[in-house]
C-alpha cells in the first residue's frame, strides 16, 4: 500500500506492507533512527513521536494509519546548532545517561509543555508515566523538563522545522 | 515485532463499514488499536483483514441530547479526560498513560470488554446505554446487558458500537483503583455514582471474568449504612499470579469503602 505523510515538514511517499509499524517506517524506510524501539509492547515510550501534534507510541500505530498525517520525530524538533529547549534542558540537567529513552522522553514532554507551560513536579511525573528510564531514576529528567519550561517562559524559541506542531 | 500479514482498509462511513463487514466476515474492526495491535504483534490475534474506523468523524466527540450526553465511540480517552462527563474523566485518567490515551477510544475499550479495563465499571455505575448499529438497523443496550463475559460484549459480529449515552443527572461520582504497576490495568477498580433520584449505583472491574454491579453494596449505601465487608461473597473471582481470588475480593471491600467515603 502507498502511504504519504509529512515527516518533520517533508512529504514522503513509500510502498509498505499494511503490517509495517510506524516506528519501523520511520527508522527503516526513512532512516530516521532517532526514534527508538524499546520494549516493543506499548509500555516504555522510547518510540514516542507526534502524529498530527499528539504524542503516540509509534510501535503501536501502523504506518498505514498515519497515512496523510503530519509526523514529528526527535529529528524534527531541534538541530545540533539550534536545540529545542527540552534538548537544552536534558543537556544542562544531565537528564540522560545511556540516552536510549531520551527521544521518547523529549517528545512526550513536548506535548506536556504545549498544554501546560509550567507544570509542577507532580504533573511532570504523572505525564511521563508512560516513559521508562532505567538509568537516571527520573529525578534529573524532571529537572530537565522544568528547565525547558523556564527557558520557554523566558521566550526561548523552540528550534527545528516542526517545533510548532 | 511484526504482526502477521493482513489486508487493510479505512472505512469511509459507518454505513460503508457495515457493508464491508457484511461482504467480508473475516474483517476485524480496528479503532485506536491499543488492545488489538499489541495482541497482533504477539500473534495472539491474526485477523486476515482490518477495517479501520478510527478516523470516522461521525463517531467522534460529545454532544448533549436531553437527559443524556452522547459520546461518539471513537472519542479518545484523552478527549474523555478533558470532558465534562460525569465519572468518565476520572476513570480515563487511570487508563494507560498519556500516549495510550491519545489513541485508545472509549468505544473500542467498551466493545472489547477486557475484564480488567476501567470503563466497564463506570458504564455500569452511571447506567450508560450503548447504541449499536448493524445492517438491520440500530438497537440500544443497557449497561447491565452489555458485558457478557471475558472479552465478550453485546456487540455482535457485523455490528458497530457507534455511541455511548451517559445520564446527565449524576450529582457525584468516584472511581477507586488498585492498578497493576506495569500494565496499568485494574487489578480491581470500583466505580460509584449518585443518580438524579438520589440512589447510588456501584460496580467493580478487574476482579472477575467481567465487570459487574455490586448489589449488596448499593443496598447498604442506599439504606444509609457503611460499605462493610463481604461484598462479593460467593462470587467467582479471578485469581492469577498477580493477585489471588481472595485478595481481589478483599480489594473490592477496601476500594468500595474508600469510594463510599469519598462520595460522601
Amino acid at each position: 500500500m502507498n502511504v504519504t505523510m509529512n515527516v518533520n515538514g517533508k512529504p514522503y511517499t513509500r510502498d509498505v506492507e499494511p503490517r509495517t509499524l510506524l516506528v519501523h517506517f520511520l527508522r527503516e524506510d526513512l532512516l530516521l533512527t532517532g526514534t527508538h524501539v524499546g520494549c516493543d509492547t506499548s509500555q516504555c515510550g522510547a518510540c514516542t513521536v507526534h502524529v498530527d501534534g499528539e504524542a503516540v507510541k509509534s510501535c503501536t500505530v501502523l504506518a498505514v494509519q498515519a497515512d496523510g498525517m503530519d509526523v514529528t520525530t526527535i529529528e524534527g524538533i531541534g538541530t545540533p546548532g539550534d536545540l529545542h529547549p527540552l534538548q537544552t534542558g536534558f543537556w544542562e540537567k544531565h537528564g540522560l545517561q545511556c540516552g536510549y529513552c531520551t527521544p521518547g522522553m523529549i517528545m512526550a514532554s513536548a506535548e506536556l509543555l504545549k498544554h501546560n507551560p509550567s507544570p509542577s513536579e507532580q504533573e511532570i511525573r504523572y505525564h511521563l508515566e508512560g516513559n521508562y528510564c532505567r538509568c537516571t531514576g527520573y529525578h534529573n529528567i524532571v529537572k530537565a523538563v522544568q528547565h525547558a519550561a523556564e527557558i520557554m517562559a523566558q521566550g526561548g524559541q523552540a528550534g527545528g522545522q516542526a517545533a510548532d506542531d | 515485532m511484526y504482526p502477521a500479514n493482513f489486508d487493510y482498509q479505512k472505512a469511509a462511513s459507518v454505513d460503508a463499514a457495515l457493508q464491508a463487514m457484511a461482504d467480508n466476515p473475516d474483517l476485524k474492526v480496528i479503532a485506536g488499536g491499543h488492545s488489538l495491535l499489541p495482541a497482533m504483534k504477539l500473534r495472539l490475534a491474526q485477523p486476515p483483514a482490518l477495517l479501520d474506523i478510527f478516523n470516522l468523524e461521525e463517531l467522534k466527540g460529545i454532544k448533549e441530547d436531553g437527559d443524556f450526553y452522547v459520546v461518539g465511540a471513537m472519542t479518545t480517552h484523552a478527549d474523555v479526560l478533558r470532558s465534562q462527563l460525569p465519572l468518565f474523566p476520572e476513570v480515563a485518567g487511570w487508563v494507560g498513560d498519556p500516549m495510550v490515551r491519545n489513541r485508545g477510544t472509549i468505544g473500542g475499550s467498551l466493545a472489547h470488554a477486557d475484564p480488567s479495563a476501567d470503563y466497564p465499571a463506570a458504564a455500569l455505575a452511571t447506567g450508560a446505554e450503548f447504541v449499536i448499529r448493524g445492517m438491520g438497523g440500530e438497537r440500544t443496550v443497557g449497561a447491565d446487558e452489555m458485558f457478557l463475559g471475558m472479552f465478550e460484549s453485546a456487540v455482535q459480529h457485523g455490528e458497530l458500537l457507534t455511541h455511548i449515552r451517559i445520564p446527565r443527572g449524576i450529582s457525584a461520582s468516584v472511581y477507586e483503583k488498585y492498578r497493576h504497576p506495569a500494565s496499568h490495568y485494574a487489578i480491581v477498580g470500583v466505580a460509584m455514582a449518585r443518580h438524579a433520584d438520589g440512589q447510588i449505583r456501584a460496580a467493580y472491574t478487574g476482579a472477575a471474568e467481567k465487570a459487574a454491579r455490586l448489589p449488596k453494596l448499593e443496598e447498604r449505601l442506599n439504606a444509609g449504612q457503611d460499605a462493610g465487608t463481604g461484598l462479593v461473597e460467593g462470587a467467582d473471582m479471578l485469581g492469577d499470579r498477580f493477585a489471588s481470588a481472595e485478595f481481589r475480593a478483599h480489594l473490592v471491600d477496601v476500594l468500595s469503602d474508600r469510594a463510599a467515603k469519598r462520595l460522601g
Side-chain angles (χ1 to χ4, degrees):
Chain A
M1 289 186 83
N2 266 335
V3 296
T4 299
M5 60 185 95
N6 275 310
V7 181
N8 302 329
K10 276 193 228 162
Y12 294 90
T13 299
R14 292 288 188 279
D15 184 27
V16 301
E17 286 186 299
R19 62 176 174 164
T20 306
L21 301 170
L22 179 59
V23 68
H24 294 308
F25 177 79
L26 295 169
R27 288 177 55 84
E28 290 163 25
D29 289 271
L30 306 189
L31 303 179
L32 293 169
T33 54
T35 302
H36 294 162
V37 179
C39 69
D40 215 356
T41 55
S42 332
Q43 300 192 34
C44 81
C47 64
T48 301
V49 302
H50 294 187
V51 174
D52 278 357
E54 289 188 332
V56 304
K57 292 181 168 177
S58 61
C59 79
T60 314
V61 178
L62 300 168
V64 290
Q65 288 178 297
D67 186 28
M69 297 187 175
D70 293 322
V71 176
T72 306
T73 69
I74 187 70
E75 288 92 343
I77 72 158
T79 61
D82 183 20
L83 295 179
H84 185 281
L86 276 162
Q87 293 170 313
T88 305
F90 274 73
W91 180 312
E92 291 295 332
K93 297 298 173 184
H94 198 56
L96 62 145
Q97 289 176 28
C98 85
Y100 202 86
C101 72
T102 313
M105 286 287 177
I106 286 177
M107 297 312 288
S109 301
E111 184 183 54
L112 169 65
L113 294 180
K114 191 170 69 176
H115 295 296
N116 183 352
S118 60
S120 66
E121 178 188 336
Q122 197 183 5
E123 287 168 331
I124 294 168
R125 288 182 186 276
Y126 177 70
H127 191 85
L128 293 179
E129 71 177 350
N131 294 83
Y132 293 1
C133 173
R134 301 286 82 143
C135 303
T136 65
Y138 301 99
H139 198 60
N140 286 354
I141 291 175
V142 174
K143 286 185 184 169
V145 177
Q146 288 171 322
H147 189 71
E150 285 163 20
I151 295 172
M152 290 164 84
Q154 289 158 12
Q157 288 304 303
Q161 307 155 316
D164 58 346
D165 74 343
Chain B
M1 286 189 294
Y2 284 89
N5 262 318
F6 54 84
D7 294 326
Y8 173 88
Q9 57 179 294
K10 276 191 168 78
S13 66
V14 170
D15 288 340
L18 293 173
Q19 186 62 54
M21 285 192 284
D23 293 342
N24 180 0
D26 285 338
L27 271 188
K28 174 83 182 161
V29 173
I30 183 167
H34 273 54
S35 295
L36 182 57
L37 282 177
M40 288 172 64
K41 287 164 68 180
L42 295 168
R43 310 276 171 125
L44 297 171
Q46 299 195 19
L50 291 185
L51 176 65
D52 190 344
I53 61 167
F54 181 70
N55 292 307
L56 290 179
E57 282 302 321
E58 58 187 304
L59 298 185
K60 286 187 186 290
I62 301 169
K63 298 189 182 88
E64 292 175 20
D65 176 22
D67 292 338
F68 288 88
Y69 293 101
V70 182
V71 185
M74 292 302 100
T75 305
T76 62
H77 307 319
D79 287 333
V80 171
L81 177 56
R82 291 189 283 260
S83 75
Q84 299 301 309
L85 293 172
L87 186 54
F88 281 79
E90 181 183 357
V91 173
W94 280 101
V95 176
D97 57 56
M99 284 82 81
V100 170
R101 294 196 284 269
N102 281 339
R103 290 290 298 181
T105 64
I106 185 171
S109 172
L110 286 163
H112 186 51
D114 189 313
S116 300
D118 298 293
Y119 285 141
L124 289 161
T126 55
E129 297 175 350
F130 297 86
V131 182
I132 299 169
R133 205 191 301 175
M135 286 299 274
E138 198 170 87
R139 65 196 176 101
T140 301
V141 170
D144 291 329
E145 283 77 48
M146 177 66 174
F147 307 104
L148 304 179
M150 201 173 266
F151 299 108
E152 189 189 358
S153 70
V155 183
Q156 298 297 305
H157 206 77
E159 291 184 323
L160 280 183
L161 170 61
T162 62
H163 295 89
I164 299 105
R165 293 167 60 82
I166 300 168
R168 293 182 60 198
I170 290 167
S171 58
S173 63
V174 292
Y175 184 59
E176 286 286 336
K177 176 177 179 179
Y178 186 86
R179 77 176 188 181
H180 187 282
S183 74
H184 295 184
Y185 276 96
I187 288 177
V188 177
V190 172
M192 206 174 272
R194 181 177 288 113
H195 286 248
D197 59 4
Q199 293 291 297
I200 293 169
R201 276 200 202 206
Y204 66 83
T205 188
E209 66 164 10
K210 60 176 185 170
R213 296 270 293 274
L214 285 161
K216 201 182 284 184
L217 174 63
E218 292 177 357
E219 203 176 299
R220 288 178 188 168
L221 296 179
N222 287 323
Q225 299 165 4
D226 289 341
T229 58
L231 295 172
V232 286
E233 218 165 45
D236 203 6
M237 297 284 111
L238 284 179
D240 56 28
R241 66 194 188 281
F242 304 122
S244 66
E246 295 74 20
F247 183 50
R248 278 188 164 87
H250 174 69
L251 284 175
V252 171
D253 289 348
V254 170
L255 298 177
S256 295
D257 184 55
R258 284 183 195 166
K261 284 180 174 142
R262 267 183 62 207
L263 193 73

